[in-house]
Each structure stands twice: as structure tokens, then as C-alpha cells.
Amino acid sequence: MQASSQVVTVVVLLADPEAPTAIAKRLAQTLPARLAEKSGRQRRFAVEVVSRPFTAGAEDPSTLMHRIVDRGSAENWDIVVALTDLPLHSHRRRLVVDLSHAHGTALLSLPSLGGWRLQAKARRVVEEAVLSLAGPRSPGGEQAPDSGPTLGPFAGRLTPIHPGPVSEEELADLRYVAGGPRGYLKLLVGMVRANRPWRLVPGLSKALAAALATGAIATVDDTVWSLATSLSTPRLVVATVGSVGLMIGWLIVDANLWQGTADGSPETRRRSILYNTSTVVTVSIGAVVCYVGLMVVNFVWALFMLNGHVFASATQHPLNAENYCTLSWFVASIATVGGALGSGLESDEAIRAAAYATREQERRHMLQGEHDG
């Protein structure tokens, strides 16, 4: 009988598709029990996950808060916490979380939490946001004065995150922002993680096939042997930087990942710089991983295929461990150039997933499809 008298608060995690939805689903598994334990009252929480591209076509926190509040009112949800992998800005500051205690709504920008232990950080923020929103209310529906909207522990553990300014016309009554170079770096790392650069490698299957074929042929070519043994370490480094840079540039240009500034406003320029930087870093990680993989494969291939006497007669150098490594290093650069050319055969979908602008376009199409349906 005691359990039936408990108040059940419906908490909805409204998440953008893909990564935010995956995070929300994992949160929903443990969130009800943790909220009930931390609330310290005879209260139960029911957590639901709704996957919807609520950020499509908008990057203004005020506009997004209105969307979330309207959706929550229409569905009669008690508390709504919206999660997005979109970097949000307000008053030239990088937004972490917005809360509206009057409407029981919160908006969380996941990239602002950084790229490490994202699930744990998101859980902590969501828990404290829900507990703050679920605090005592006055008879008029406003938060009781003695409860005071605060996320003190959250702010203390996630420095340099601190309270930010909120305009009177906005729905939010509490805002946390990330400031300074460290906050910018954390946001950039979070954006790169949201791009999931590890998905870029299997998406380059045709490019990798071309690179492996190029490397296999180059490994048994005596001209390549002579070049590899004659190159100094600085020249090998230049060859590495040049080949990897060529692949990065080709992937970005071929898949049209670079975002321009249409209206030329300062805010748009800053956003474009942030988006393009995260795209370059994401593609660079994928290209470097491919390069290292090619070095390993070429090294193993050389171990099985090369003959020491033939190599020594062609190069006047012994086939020792140092020359195995040097040859694999040089061949990886040659193979990377071949892979860059082979990347033109790829479907752009896997590569374009590394760009925020592309995912935003996809969400607009999804949202339009919902309205048309």
C-alpha cells in the first residue's frame, strides 16, 4: 500500500537521433532507481526515451527550449531533459545546460562535457537536473523560494563550467556555460567524439583496398627498396605528412565536408570554424589510423615476401630490422596516396557522417518527413 501512495514523476529523455539516443537509452536503464534513491522522498520516477530530431534547423537555445516546452506540454510530461550532440552557444558562451524550473525542462549539449567518460558525465548532469526540476513547488507552480534552482555539485565537478547569463525573455531560469580555452578544447573534443571517427575507417573499405594493393606491389619493387634505404628520417616524415595530408584534403573535398559561411555574420563564422575544425580533426584521426594500419600490414607482408640476399644485392644494404621498418614506413606513404585516389570510389555516406552540417541536413529531412506524415 505504501508503494501505491508514492508519487510517480514521468521523466522523458528527448534525444536527437544516433549518439544522443544511444546515451539516453543507457541512462534510462539505471536512472529511475538512482533518482528514487537520491530524491530522499516517497517518490518514484518513470523514465522514457523519445528519439526525435528536435534541433533540426535551429541552434538557438531559446528556440530549442520553446520546442521542448511545447512538446512536453502537448504530451503532458512532468519533466523533459533534451539531449543533443549539437554545440550550442548563448551570449557568445558555449552552453552546457539550460533549465526552466517553471516548465520542468532542461536542455543539455553533450559535446560541452568533453570526450572522456561522456556516459558518466551525462548521467551526473541529467540526475542533478531532474532532481533540481523535481524540487518543491509553490502553489502557483513556481519553484519554492527555499529550494532555489541550483546545480552546485554539478558545477563543482565539471569546472570550468559555471553559471551563465539568461535574458528575461528566455524560458530558461538557470544556465551553465563552459568558458575559457579549456572549455573550448573540451567542446572540440566532445564534437570529435560525437563524430565517432572510428566509424570512418570501415567506411573507407574501397580506399583501404586500393592502399593495400598499392602497398603489396610497392613492397616487392626493388626501386622502392633503393629509395627507402636512401631516405633520411626527416624525408620520411615529410613523406608521411604529405601523404596523410593529401588523403585528408581529398576526403574533405571529395565528400564536400567543408562548411562555408553563407551570411557572413560573426556568429556563423565562429560556428563554421568550430564545425570545420572538428571535421578536420575527425578525418585526420581516421587517416592516421589507416596509415598506422598500413604500416603494420606492410611490415608483416615484407617479413613473408622479401629475401635478404635479393634485397642486399639490389640496395647494398642488409635486410635487417631497421630496413624492414624503413621500408614499411615508406611504402605506407606510397599506399596512402593510392588509398586517397581509391577513396573517390567510396559512397559519401560513411565519410560525410564526420560532418555536423551533414547530420543536421539529415535531421531536417527526418523532421520534415514527420510533419508530412
Side-chain angles (χ1 to χ4, degrees):
M1 295 297 295
Q2 183 178 2
S4 62
S5 64
Q6 290 180 336
V7 177
V8 179
T9 302
V10 178
V11 178
V12 173
L13 303 180
L14 180 63
D16 266 334
E18 298 186 9
T21 296
I23 291 174
K25 288 181 177 178
R26 288 194 292 269
L27 289 175
Q29 296 175 3
T30 58
L31 199 56
R34 293 178 63 90
L35 290 173
E37 179 183 356
K38 291 186 175 184
S39 64
R41 306 183 184 93
Q42 294 296 320
R43 191 166 194 172
R44 291 189 297 130
F45 293 84
V47 179
E48 303 175 10
V49 177
V50 176
S51 180
R52 185 174 185 269
F54 67 92
T55 58
E59 298 183 21
D60 174 45
S62 180
T63 301
L64 297 179
M65 286 293 283
H66 277 90
R67 287 184 182 179
I68 300 164
V69 169
D70 291 344
R71 181 67 187 270
S73 300
E75 301 288 347
N76 199 28
W77 294 329
D78 296 327
I79 294 176
V80 185
V81 180
L83 291 79
T84 181
D85 59 0
L86 197 68
L88 301 176
H89 295 78
S90 178
H91 301 279
R92 296 187 178 182
R93 293 174 172 86
R94 291 168 285 280
L95 176 70
V96 179
V97 61
D98 261 358
L99 292 96
S100 174
H101 290 79
H103 299 90
T105 302
L107 170 63
L108 171 61
S109 176
L110 292 170
S112 61
L113 300 180
W116 291 278
R117 301 181 65 247
L118 179 59
Q119 188 70 37
K121 291 178 182 178
R123 184 191 67 224
R124 186 163 61 228
V125 176
V126 170
E127 286 177 3
E128 297 187 13
V130 170
L131 292 174
S132 179
L133 295 173
R137 304 282 168 173
S138 65
E142 300 292 334
Q143 188 175 26
D146 58 346
S147 64
T150 178
L151 293 181
F154 155 69
R157 288 196 294 261
L158 295 177
T159 52
I161 295 174
H162 53 81
V166 183
S167 303
E168 293 183 359
E169 63 272 12
E170 295 187 72
L171 293 180
D173 53 36
L174 181 63
R175 168 173 294 152
Y176 280 89
V177 296
R182 184 181 168 193
Y184 182 87
L185 180 60
K186 179 177 286 190
L187 175 64
L188 181 60
V189 172
M191 292 177 66
V192 172
R193 188 191 189 282
N195 282 339
R196 290 175 286 183
W198 55 86
R199 297 198 312 176
L200 190 62
V201 177
L204 294 173
S205 57
K206 293 184 177 65
L208 288 174
L212 289 172
T214 303
I217 296 172
T219 301
V220 297
D221 188 285
D222 56 357
T223 303
V224 175
W225 301 347
S226 300
L227 286 173
T229 55
S230 65
L231 290 176
S232 61
T233 299
R235 291 194 175 189
L236 288 170
V237 172
V238 170
T240 298
V241 174
S243 59
V244 173
L246 176 63
M247 173 168 256
I248 294 170
W250 180 260
L251 288 174
I252 292 175
V253 172
D254 186 59
N256 195 25
L257 299 183
W258 196 261
Q259 182 182 6
T261 54
D263 55 15
S265 64
E267 182 64 29
T268 301
R269 285 198 298 270
R270 283 193 294 268
R271 185 168 61 246
S272 296
I273 291 173
L274 188 62
Y275 280 12
N276 290 330
T277 302
S278 68
T279 297
V280 170
V281 173
T282 302
V283 176
S284 298
I285 292 173
V288 169
V289 170
C290 289
Y291 188 91
V292 173
L294 287 172
M295 284 186 65
V296 174
V297 171
N298 292 331
F299 184 84
V300 174
W301 176 250
L303 285 176
F304 279 97
M305 294 300 300
L306 297 187
N307 180 278
H309 295 293
V310 176
F311 184 91
S313 63
T315 64
Q316 307 304 315
H317 290 87
L319 185 57
N320 52 25
E322 180 182 355
N323 284 327
Y324 270 120
C325 294
T326 302
L327 178 62
S328 303
W329 186 359
F330 182 55
V331 169
S333 299
I334 299 174
T336 299
V337 175
L341 299 177
S343 66
L345 304 174
E346 297 286 356
S347 169
D348 286 345
E349 294 182 3
I351 302 173
R352 288 171 65 83
Y356 266 89
T358 301
R359 293 207 301 277
E360 176 67 8
Q361 292 173 4
E362 293 173 351
R363 289 171 186 173
R364 292 186 187 185
H365 292 318
M366 291 174 62
L367 192 62
Q368 184 64 39
E370 291 182 9
H371 292 328
D372 293 343

Short mmCIF file of all heavy atoms in Angstrom, two decimals, residues 321-371:
data_model
loop_
_atom_site.label_atom_id
_atom_site.label_comp_id
_atom_site.label_asym_id
_atom_site.label_seq_id
_atom_site.Cartn_x
_atom_site.Cartn_y
_atom_site.Cartn_z
N ALA A 321 66.24 -5.40 -39.20
CA ALA A 321 65.02 -4.86 -38.60
C ALA A 321 64.82 -3.39 -38.96
O ALA A 321 63.70 -2.94 -39.23
CB ALA A 321 65.06 -5.03 -37.09
N GLU A 322 65.93 -2.64 -38.98
CA GLU A 322 65.82 -1.22 -39.30
C GLU A 322 65.30 -1.02 -40.72
O GLU A 322 64.42 -0.17 -40.95
CB GLU A 322 67.19 -0.55 -39.15
CG GLU A 322 67.17 0.94 -39.48
CD GLU A 322 68.54 1.57 -39.38
OE1 GLU A 322 69.49 0.87 -38.96
OE2 GLU A 322 68.67 2.77 -39.72
N ASN A 323 65.80 -1.77 -41.68
CA ASN A 323 65.35 -1.61 -43.07
C ASN A 323 63.93 -2.15 -43.27
O ASN A 323 63.21 -1.66 -44.13
CB ASN A 323 66.33 -2.29 -44.01
CG ASN A 323 67.61 -1.48 -44.20
OD1 ASN A 323 67.57 -0.25 -44.16
ND2 ASN A 323 68.74 -2.16 -44.34
N TYR A 324 63.56 -3.17 -42.52
CA TYR A 324 62.16 -3.61 -42.56
C TYR A 324 61.23 -2.46 -42.15
O TYR A 324 60.22 -2.19 -42.82
CB TYR A 324 61.94 -4.80 -41.61
CG TYR A 324 62.14 -6.16 -42.23
CD1 TYR A 324 63.09 -7.03 -41.73
CD2 TYR A 324 61.35 -6.58 -43.30
CE1 TYR A 324 63.28 -8.29 -42.29
CE2 TYR A 324 61.53 -7.84 -43.86
CZ TYR A 324 62.49 -8.69 -43.35
OH TYR A 324 62.66 -9.94 -43.91
N CYS A 325 61.58 -1.80 -41.05
CA CYS A 325 60.74 -0.69 -40.56
C CYS A 325 60.75 0.49 -41.54
O CYS A 325 59.71 1.09 -41.82
CB CYS A 325 61.24 -0.24 -39.19
SG CYS A 325 61.04 -1.46 -37.89
N THR A 326 61.95 0.82 -42.07
CA THR A 326 62.04 1.93 -43.01
C THR A 326 61.24 1.67 -44.27
O THR A 326 60.53 2.55 -44.77
CB THR A 326 63.52 2.19 -43.38
OG1 THR A 326 64.27 2.47 -42.19
CG2 THR A 326 63.64 3.37 -44.33
N LEU A 327 61.35 0.45 -44.79
CA LEU A 327 60.60 0.11 -46.00
C LEU A 327 59.10 0.15 -45.74
O LEU A 327 58.34 0.70 -46.56
CB LEU A 327 61.01 -1.29 -46.48
CG LEU A 327 60.28 -1.81 -47.72
CD1 LEU A 327 60.55 -0.91 -48.92
CD2 LEU A 327 60.70 -3.25 -48.01
N SER A 328 58.65 -0.40 -44.62
CA SER A 328 57.22 -0.38 -44.29
C SER A 328 56.72 1.04 -44.13
O SER A 328 55.60 1.37 -44.56
CB SER A 328 56.96 -1.17 -43.01
OG SER A 328 57.42 -2.50 -43.12
N TRP A 329 57.55 1.88 -43.54
CA TRP A 329 57.19 3.29 -43.36
C TRP A 329 57.03 3.98 -44.70
O TRP A 329 56.01 4.65 -44.95
CB TRP A 329 58.27 3.95 -42.51
CG TRP A 329 58.00 5.36 -42.10
CD1 TRP A 329 56.90 6.13 -42.41
CD2 TRP A 329 58.83 6.19 -41.28
NE1 TRP A 329 57.01 7.36 -41.85
CE2 TRP A 329 58.18 7.44 -41.14
CE3 TRP A 329 60.07 5.99 -40.67
CZ2 TRP A 329 58.73 8.49 -40.42
CZ3 TRP A 329 60.62 7.03 -39.92
CH2 TRP A 329 59.95 8.27 -39.80
N PHE A 330 57.99 3.83 -45.57
CA PHE A 330 57.94 4.49 -46.87
C PHE A 330 56.80 3.95 -47.73
O PHE A 330 56.09 4.71 -48.39
CB PHE A 330 59.28 4.32 -47.58
CG PHE A 330 59.35 4.99 -48.92
CD1 PHE A 330 59.08 6.34 -49.06
CD2 PHE A 330 59.70 4.26 -50.06
CE1 PHE A 330 59.14 6.97 -50.30
CE2 PHE A 330 59.75 4.88 -51.31
CZ PHE A 330 59.48 6.24 -51.43
N VAL A 331 56.61 2.64 -47.71
CA VAL A 331 55.54 2.03 -48.51
C VAL A 331 54.17 2.50 -48.01
O VAL A 331 53.24 2.68 -48.80
CB VAL A 331 55.65 0.50 -48.48
CG1 VAL A 331 54.41 -0.15 -49.07
CG2 VAL A 331 56.89 0.05 -49.25
N ALA A 332 54.04 2.70 -46.69
CA ALA A 332 52.77 3.19 -46.16
C ALA A 332 52.42 4.55 -46.75
O ALA A 332 51.25 4.84 -47.03
CB ALA A 332 52.83 3.27 -44.63
N SER A 333 53.43 5.41 -46.95
CA SER A 333 53.18 6.72 -47.57
C SER A 333 52.73 6.56 -49.01
O SER A 333 51.79 7.23 -49.47
CB SER A 333 54.45 7.58 -47.50
OG SER A 333 54.84 7.81 -46.17
N ILE A 334 53.41 5.66 -49.75
CA ILE A 334 53.01 5.41 -51.14
C ILE A 334 51.59 4.85 -51.19
O ILE A 334 50.76 5.27 -52.01
CB ILE A 334 53.99 4.44 -51.82
CG1 ILE A 334 55.40 5.03 -51.84
CG2 ILE A 334 53.53 4.07 -53.22
CD1 ILE A 334 56.45 4.08 -52.36
N ALA A 335 51.30 3.89 -50.30
CA ALA A 335 49.99 3.25 -50.30
C ALA A 335 48.89 4.23 -49.90
O ALA A 335 47.77 4.15 -50.40
CB ALA A 335 50.00 2.07 -49.34
N THR A 336 49.21 5.18 -49.01
CA THR A 336 48.22 6.17 -48.59
C THR A 336 47.79 7.05 -49.75
O THR A 336 46.62 7.41 -49.88
CB THR A 336 48.77 7.03 -47.44
OG1 THR A 336 49.07 6.18 -46.34
CG2 THR A 336 47.77 8.07 -47.00
N VAL A 337 48.76 7.40 -50.62
CA VAL A 337 48.41 8.18 -51.82
C VAL A 337 47.48 7.36 -52.71
O VAL A 337 46.49 7.88 -53.22
CB VAL A 337 49.68 8.59 -52.58
CG1 VAL A 337 49.32 9.29 -53.88
CG2 VAL A 337 50.56 9.50 -51.72
N GLY A 338 47.80 6.07 -52.88
CA GLY A 338 46.90 5.21 -53.65
C GLY A 338 45.54 5.09 -53.01
O GLY A 338 44.51 5.05 -53.70
N GLY A 339 45.51 5.04 -51.68
CA GLY A 339 44.23 4.97 -50.98
C GLY A 339 43.42 6.23 -51.14
O GLY A 339 42.20 6.20 -51.22
N ALA A 340 44.10 7.39 -51.17
CA ALA A 340 43.39 8.65 -51.36
C ALA A 340 42.69 8.68 -52.71
O ALA A 340 41.54 9.13 -52.83
CB ALA A 340 44.37 9.82 -51.25
N LEU A 341 43.37 8.18 -53.73
CA LEU A 341 42.74 8.11 -55.04
C LEU A 341 41.59 7.10 -55.03
O LEU A 341 40.55 7.32 -55.65
CB LEU A 341 43.78 7.72 -56.09
CG LEU A 341 44.96 8.70 -56.26
CD1 LEU A 341 45.96 8.15 -57.28
CD2 LEU A 341 44.45 10.07 -56.69
N GLY A 342 41.77 5.99 -54.31
CA GLY A 342 40.71 5.00 -54.23
C GLY A 342 39.52 5.46 -53.44
O GLY A 342 38.42 4.92 -53.60
N SER A 343 39.69 6.47 -52.58
CA SER A 343 38.57 6.96 -51.78
C SER A 343 37.51 7.61 -52.65
O SER A 343 36.36 7.78 -52.22
CB SER A 343 39.06 7.96 -50.74
OG SER A 343 39.56 9.14 -51.35
N GLY A 344 37.86 8.00 -53.87
CA GLY A 344 36.86 8.55 -54.77
C GLY A 344 35.81 7.54 -55.18
O GLY A 344 34.74 7.91 -55.69
N LEU A 345 36.09 6.25 -54.96
CA LEU A 345 35.13 5.21 -55.27
C LEU A 345 34.15 4.96 -54.14
O LEU A 345 33.19 4.22 -54.30
CB LEU A 345 35.87 3.89 -55.58
CG LEU A 345 36.92 3.96 -56.70
CD1 LEU A 345 37.67 2.62 -56.77
CD2 LEU A 345 36.28 4.29 -58.03
N GLU A 346 34.40 5.60 -52.99
CA GLU A 346 33.56 5.33 -51.82
C GLU A 346 32.21 6.01 -51.95
O GLU A 346 32.06 7.04 -52.60
CB GLU A 346 34.26 5.85 -50.55
CG GLU A 346 35.56 5.19 -50.23
CD GLU A 346 35.39 3.79 -49.69
OE1 GLU A 346 34.24 3.36 -49.48
OE2 GLU A 346 36.43 3.11 -49.50
N SER A 347 31.23 5.43 -51.25
CA SER A 347 29.97 6.13 -51.04
C SER A 347 30.24 7.25 -50.04
O SER A 347 30.95 7.06 -49.05
CB SER A 347 28.91 5.18 -50.48
OG SER A 347 27.79 5.90 -50.02
N ASP A 348 29.67 8.42 -50.28
CA ASP A 348 29.95 9.56 -49.43
C ASP A 348 29.30 9.45 -48.05
O ASP A 348 29.62 10.21 -47.15
CB ASP A 348 29.46 10.86 -50.09
CG ASP A 348 30.35 11.28 -51.24
OD1 ASP A 348 31.47 10.74 -51.33
OD2 ASP A 348 29.93 12.13 -52.03
N GLU A 349 28.36 8.52 -47.87
CA GLU A 349 27.59 8.49 -46.63
C GLU A 349 28.47 8.26 -45.42
O GLU A 349 28.34 8.93 -44.40
CB GLU A 349 26.51 7.40 -46.71
CG GLU A 349 25.44 7.69 -47.76
CD GLU A 349 24.38 6.63 -47.78
OE1 GLU A 349 24.45 5.70 -46.95
OE2 GLU A 349 23.47 6.72 -48.61
N ALA A 350 29.37 7.26 -45.49
CA ALA A 350 30.23 6.97 -44.34
C ALA A 350 31.18 8.12 -44.06
O ALA A 350 31.46 8.43 -42.90
CB ALA A 350 31.02 5.69 -44.60
N ILE A 351 31.67 8.77 -45.10
CA ILE A 351 32.62 9.86 -44.92
C ILE A 351 31.90 11.12 -44.42
O ILE A 351 32.37 11.81 -43.53
CB ILE A 351 33.36 10.15 -46.24
CG1 ILE A 351 34.07 8.89 -46.73
CG2 ILE A 351 34.34 11.29 -46.07
CD1 ILE A 351 34.70 9.02 -48.10
N ARG A 352 30.74 11.38 -44.98
CA ARG A 352 30.00 12.59 -44.62
C ARG A 352 29.44 12.53 -43.20
O ARG A 352 29.05 13.55 -42.65
CB ARG A 352 28.88 12.84 -45.62
CG ARG A 352 29.38 13.32 -46.97
CD ARG A 352 28.25 13.33 -47.99
NE ARG A 352 27.23 14.29 -47.64
CZ ARG A 352 27.28 15.59 -47.92
NH1 ARG A 352 28.34 16.08 -48.54
NH2 ARG A 352 26.31 16.40 -47.57
N ALA A 353 29.43 11.34 -42.60
CA ALA A 353 28.99 11.23 -41.21
C ALA A 353 29.94 11.96 -40.26
O ALA A 353 29.62 12.20 -39.11
CB ALA A 353 28.88 9.77 -40.80
N ALA A 354 31.11 12.33 -40.77
CA ALA A 354 32.09 13.04 -39.95
C ALA A 354 31.82 14.53 -39.90
O ALA A 354 32.59 15.27 -39.30
CB ALA A 354 33.50 12.80 -40.50
N ALA A 355 30.75 15.00 -40.52
CA ALA A 355 30.47 16.43 -40.56
C ALA A 355 29.16 16.73 -39.85
O ALA A 355 28.15 16.09 -40.08
CB ALA A 355 30.40 16.92 -42.01
N TYR A 356 29.18 17.74 -38.97
CA TYR A 356 27.97 18.14 -38.26
C TYR A 356 26.92 18.67 -39.22
O TYR A 356 25.73 18.40 -39.08
CB TYR A 356 28.30 19.23 -37.24
CG TYR A 356 28.57 18.70 -35.87
CD1 TYR A 356 29.85 18.31 -35.49
CD2 TYR A 356 27.56 18.57 -34.94
CE1 TYR A 356 30.11 17.83 -34.23
CE2 TYR A 356 27.80 18.08 -33.67
CZ TYR A 356 29.08 17.72 -33.32
OH TYR A 356 29.33 17.23 -32.07
N ALA A 357 27.34 19.45 -40.22
CA ALA A 357 26.39 20.05 -41.14
C ALA A 357 25.59 18.99 -41.87
O ALA A 357 24.39 19.15 -42.13
CB ALA A 357 27.12 20.95 -42.14
N THR A 358 26.22 17.88 -42.21
CA THR A 358 25.53 16.82 -42.92
C THR A 358 24.48 16.17 -42.04
O THR A 358 23.35 15.92 -42.48
CB THR A 358 26.54 15.76 -43.39
OG1 THR A 358 27.50 16.39 -44.24
CG2 THR A 358 25.85 14.64 -44.15
N ARG A 359 24.83 15.89 -40.78
CA ARG A 359 23.86 15.28 -39.89
C ARG A 359 22.69 16.22 -39.64
O ARG A 359 21.55 15.79 -39.49
CB ARG A 359 24.54 14.91 -38.56
CG ARG A 359 25.55 13.80 -38.72
CD ARG A 359 25.71 13.02 -37.44
NE ARG A 359 26.13 13.82 -36.32
CZ ARG A 359 27.40 14.15 -36.06
NH1 ARG A 359 28.35 13.74 -36.89
NH2 ARG A 359 27.71 14.87 -35.02
N GLU A 360 22.97 17.52 -39.60
CA GLU A 360 21.90 18.50 -39.43
C GLU A 360 20.94 18.45 -40.61
O GLU A 360 19.72 18.53 -40.44
CB GLU A 360 22.50 19.90 -39.27
CG GLU A 360 21.48 21.03 -39.17
CD GLU A 360 20.65 20.96 -37.91
OE1 GLU A 360 20.94 20.13 -37.03
OE2 GLU A 360 19.69 21.74 -37.81
N GLN A 361 21.47 18.33 -41.83
CA GLN A 361 20.59 18.22 -43.00
C GLN A 361 19.73 16.97 -42.93
O GLN A 361 18.53 16.99 -43.26
CB GLN A 361 21.44 18.20 -44.27
CG GLN A 361 22.15 19.52 -44.55
CD GLN A 361 23.10 19.43 -45.72
OE1 GLN A 361 23.20 18.40 -46.38
NE2 GLN A 361 23.85 20.50 -45.96
N GLU A 362 20.31 15.85 -42.48
CA GLU A 362 19.55 14.61 -42.36
C GLU A 362 18.43 14.76 -41.34
O GLU A 362 17.33 14.25 -41.54
CB GLU A 362 20.49 13.47 -41.97
CG GLU A 362 21.50 13.12 -43.06
CD GLU A 362 22.52 12.10 -42.57
OE1 GLU A 362 22.53 11.80 -41.34
OE2 GLU A 362 23.31 11.62 -43.40
N ARG A 363 18.69 15.46 -40.26
CA ARG A 363 17.65 15.65 -39.24
C ARG A 363 16.53 16.53 -39.76
O ARG A 363 15.37 16.33 -39.41
CB ARG A 363 18.29 16.24 -37.98
CG ARG A 363 19.17 15.25 -37.25
CD ARG A 363 19.96 15.90 -36.13
NE ARG A 363 20.89 14.94 -35.55
CZ ARG A 363 21.80 15.24 -34.65
NH1 ARG A 363 21.92 16.49 -34.23
NH2 ARG A 363 22.60 14.32 -34.17
N ARG A 364 16.88 17.50 -40.58
CA ARG A 364 15.84 18.33 -41.18
C ARG A 364 14.92 17.48 -42.05
O ARG A 364 13.69 17.65 -42.03
CB ARG A 364 16.46 19.46 -42.00
CG ARG A 364 17.19 20.50 -41.17
CD ARG A 364 17.66 21.64 -42.03
NE ARG A 364 18.51 22.56 -41.30
CZ ARG A 364 18.97 23.71 -41.79
NH1 ARG A 364 18.67 24.06 -43.01
NH2 ARG A 364 19.74 24.48 -41.05
N HIS A 365 15.50 16.58 -42.81
CA HIS A 365 14.70 15.70 -43.67
C HIS A 365 13.81 14.80 -42.82
O HIS A 365 12.64 14.58 -43.13
CB HIS A 365 15.60 14.85 -44.57
CG HIS A 365 16.33 15.64 -45.61
ND1 HIS A 365 15.71 16.65 -46.34
CD2 HIS A 365 17.62 15.59 -46.05
CE1 HIS A 365 16.59 17.18 -47.18
NE2 HIS A 365 17.75 16.55 -47.02
N MET A 366 14.36 14.29 -41.70
CA MET A 366 13.57 13.44 -40.82
C MET A 366 12.41 14.22 -40.21
O MET A 366 11.26 13.74 -40.15
CB MET A 366 14.45 12.86 -39.71
CG MET A 366 15.48 11.86 -40.16
SD MET A 366 16.58 11.37 -38.82
CE MET A 366 15.40 10.63 -37.69
N LEU A 367 12.69 15.45 -39.76
CA LEU A 367 11.64 16.27 -39.16
C LEU A 367 10.58 16.64 -40.19
O LEU A 367 9.38 16.64 -39.90
CB LEU A 367 12.26 17.53 -38.56
CG LEU A 367 11.38 18.38 -37.64
CD1 LEU A 367 10.95 17.55 -36.42
CD2 LEU A 367 12.10 19.64 -37.19
N GLN A 368 11.02 16.94 -41.43
CA GLN A 368 10.07 17.25 -42.49
C GLN A 368 9.20 16.06 -42.79
O GLN A 368 8.00 16.18 -43.05
CB GLN A 368 10.83 17.70 -43.74
CG GLN A 368 9.92 18.16 -44.89
CD GLN A 368 9.11 19.38 -44.52
OE1 GLN A 368 9.61 20.29 -43.85
NE2 GLN A 368 7.84 19.42 -44.92
N GLY A 369 9.81 14.86 -42.77
CA GLY A 369 9.05 13.64 -43.02
C GLY A 369 7.98 13.42 -41.96
O GLY A 369 6.87 12.96 -42.26
N GLU A 370 8.29 13.75 -40.69
CA GLU A 370 7.31 13.62 -39.63
C GLU A 370 6.14 14.56 -39.85
O GLU A 370 4.97 14.19 -39.66
CB GLU A 370 7.96 13.88 -38.27
CG GLU A 370 8.94 12.83 -37.82
CD GLU A 370 9.52 13.12 -36.46
OE1 GLU A 370 9.02 14.08 -35.81
OE2 GLU A 370 10.44 12.43 -36.02
N HIS A 371 6.45 15.81 -40.24
CA HIS A 371 5.38 16.78 -40.48
C HIS A 371 4.52 16.37 -41.68
O HIS A 371 3.29 16.50 -41.66
CB HIS A 371 5.98 18.16 -40.72
CG HIS A 371 6.62 18.76 -39.50
ND1 HIS A 371 6.17 18.50 -38.22
CD2 HIS A 371 7.69 19.59 -39.36
CE1 HIS A 371 6.90 19.15 -37.35
NE2 HIS A 371 7.85 19.82 -38.01
#
